[in-house]
Amino acid sequence: MTRIATIIVTYNGSRWIKKCLEHLFQSTVSSDIILLDNNSTDDTLEIIRPFLEKIEFIQLSSNLGFGGANNIGIQKALDLGYSHIFLLNQDAYVQQDCIAKLLSTALENPQYGILSPVQLDSSGLDFDPVFKGQVAKHYSPDPGMAIKELSNESPAKVIEVKFVGAAAWFLSAEMIRKTGLFHPAFFHYGEDNNFAARAQYFGYKIGIQIATAMIHDRNARDKTRFLPIKLRSFPLHQLLDIRKPMAIAWFVGYYQLKRTWRKLQKTHGDQYKKEFLETRAWFFDKLDEAKEIRKEMKKGYR
């Protein structure tokens, strides 16, 4: 039986969450919404109060990060027997046919364990810059042509990509049961890269459905400000990428760490030296732990 659970994690999301939920309720194919709040300190809870009869709400006592909170929602959806899980950011607004087209695509293409709609920027007239960079090698049409594609009634052929961010991930429960949940080594950023790599390791593809979209209502990413996040997350992702042999994963990850650290030093001096040393420890002091994590990831979900 086909059943869809949409999981939203909120954290100080008062600016977006009402609009996010309203767009979901307008979907041509409905889903059951599980909303988890990461202990927000703004008025997010007051804003979602009128929606509580329509959704399942879980208040967390602390901020578990993107992966940790989503894991609670995903596990609950799996326990309840949902066939598909739609992970949606709090700052994302789906097109009315988004869930319908993603579901149709998933059912017709079960080899795609992860599907994403086109991710537009806040104007709705151009690609989200991060999404554009992630899929450019496989999908880079003129934005105007891409927008026209969104008016097609039927889903388009899936375009396979190496990776797309988890702002709007449509997942099969079957894939999750093989791949596992988000790994706790990642708090915020890098967890979707690691998850996608593991899905591919287990034989699943990642794709985008170009006949539907969501708006990702966020500011353009400042690359300089993003460097500290990249330093903490992405070298570790490379080290724990089970698609690569351990020696290659170590080399690629450590090279990325050193390169990112050099860039940070040019702009911030030694301000982030602590973070550098903590991440560097994975490549030397915590290398045995990294090897054990890789072994566990290859076993899949248990």
Side-chain angles (χ1 to χ4, degrees):
M1 180 179 177
T2 300
R3 297 173 61 208
I4 307 165
T6 294
I7 298 174
I8 305 170
V9 173
T10 54
Y11 179 70
N12 292 346
S14 59
R15 172 183 167 188
W16 309 282
I17 192 58
K18 183 174 184 287
K19 190 172 181 179
C20 174
L21 290 170
E22 288 175 342
H23 275 72
L24 279 171
F25 291 136
Q26 295 169 7
S27 296
T28 55
V29 168
S30 62
S31 64
D32 296 329
I33 299 172
I34 302 173
L35 190 150
L36 303 98
D37 182 74
N38 258 331
N39 199 27
S40 291
T41 58
D42 66 355
D43 57 348
T44 294
L45 302 186
E46 290 301 315
I47 292 173
I48 66 174
R49 198 175 300 281
F51 299 98
L52 293 181
E53 292 184 359
K54 298 180 180 180
I55 67 176
E56 173 151 2
F57 175 64
I58 300 174
Q59 176 64 63
L60 302 174
S61 59
S62 62
N63 186 351
L64 301 182
F66 178 85
N70 266 304
N71 281 349
I72 294 174
I74 292 170
Q75 186 62 64
K76 186 175 186 64
L78 292 177
D79 292 343
L80 292 173
Y82 285 92
S83 62
H84 296 84
I85 295 170
F86 186 35
L87 303 184
L88 188 67
N89 273 20
Q90 63 182 1
D91 57 357
Y93 318 135
V94 296
Q95 194 170 293
Q96 276 188 312
D97 64 2
C98 185
I99 294 177
K101 286 180 176 175
L102 289 173
L103 175 61
S104 175
T105 304
L107 293 175
E108 292 180 10
N109 302 273
Q111 69 274 29
Y112 282 89
I114 301 174
L115 288 167
S116 170
V118 172
Q119 299 181 19
L120 302 175
D121 66 10
S122 58
S123 73
L125 301 175
D126 202 351
F127 298 119
D128 174 81
V130 176
F131 170 82
K132 182 178 181 179
Q134 289 168 344
V135 305
K137 291 182 180 179
H138 309 278
Y139 177 66
S140 56
D142 174 85
M145 294 177 58
I147 297 298
K148 290 180 180 179
E149 188 81 34
L150 302 179
S151 63
N152 291 344
E153 292 185 8
S154 301
K157 183 179 178 181
V158 188
I159 293 181
E160 184 177 0
V161 296
K162 185 177 181 181
F163 175 75
V164 61
W169 267 8
F170 197 83
L171 313 173
S172 69
E174 177 188 3
M175 180 274 297
I176 298 172
R177 289 192 179 97
K178 291 183 180 179
T179 300
L181 306 176
F182 290 109
H183 198 277
F186 303 91
F187 178 77
H188 190 52
Y189 289 104
E191 61 274 86
D192 54 351
N193 301 77
N194 175 262
F195 185 96
R198 285 153 45 210
Q200 290 170 327
Y201 174 82
F202 285 102
Y204 289 95
K205 296 181 179 181
I206 301 170
I208 54 175
Q209 174 48 257
I210 63 172
T212 192
M214 66 82 160
I215 288 176
H216 201 171
D217 186 11
R218 62 177 175 179
N219 296 325
R221 179 179 291 175
D222 185 315
K223 292 184 178 180
T224 301
R225 292 184 180 181
F226 188 71
L227 280 176
I229 296 171
K230 186 175 182 180
L231 179 78
R232 291 192 299 268
S233 303
F234 291 93
L236 181 58
H237 157 60
Q238 296 292 348
L239 181 64
L240 300 181
D241 185 351
I242 58 176
R243 297 171 301 180
K244 301 182 180 76
M246 180 65 195
I248 294 176
W250 189 95
F251 178 80
V252 173
Y254 192 62
Y255 172 79
Q256 187 178 61
L257 174 65
K258 295 287 285 186
R259 187 177 178 211
T260 305
W261 173 235
R262 285 195 295 269
K263 289 181 179 179
L264 259 177
Q265 283 186 304
K266 288 181 180 179
T267 55
H268 295 82
D270 285 341
Q271 180 179 347
Y272 293 98
K273 188 172 183 179
K274 179 183 176 182
E275 288 81 356
F276 165 70
L277 293 175
E278 288 174 349
T279 306
R280 185 180 181 275
W282 280 100
F283 292 84
F284 296 97
D285 302 336
K286 299 170 68 175
L287 187 57
D288 287 341
E289 182 179 345
K291 290 177 180 178
E292 287 302 314
I293 290 173
R294 287 173 59 93
K295 289 180 182 178
E296 288 298 314
M297 287 179 175
K298 290 181 179 181
K299 294 177 182 178
Y301 184 83
R302 292 184 301 163

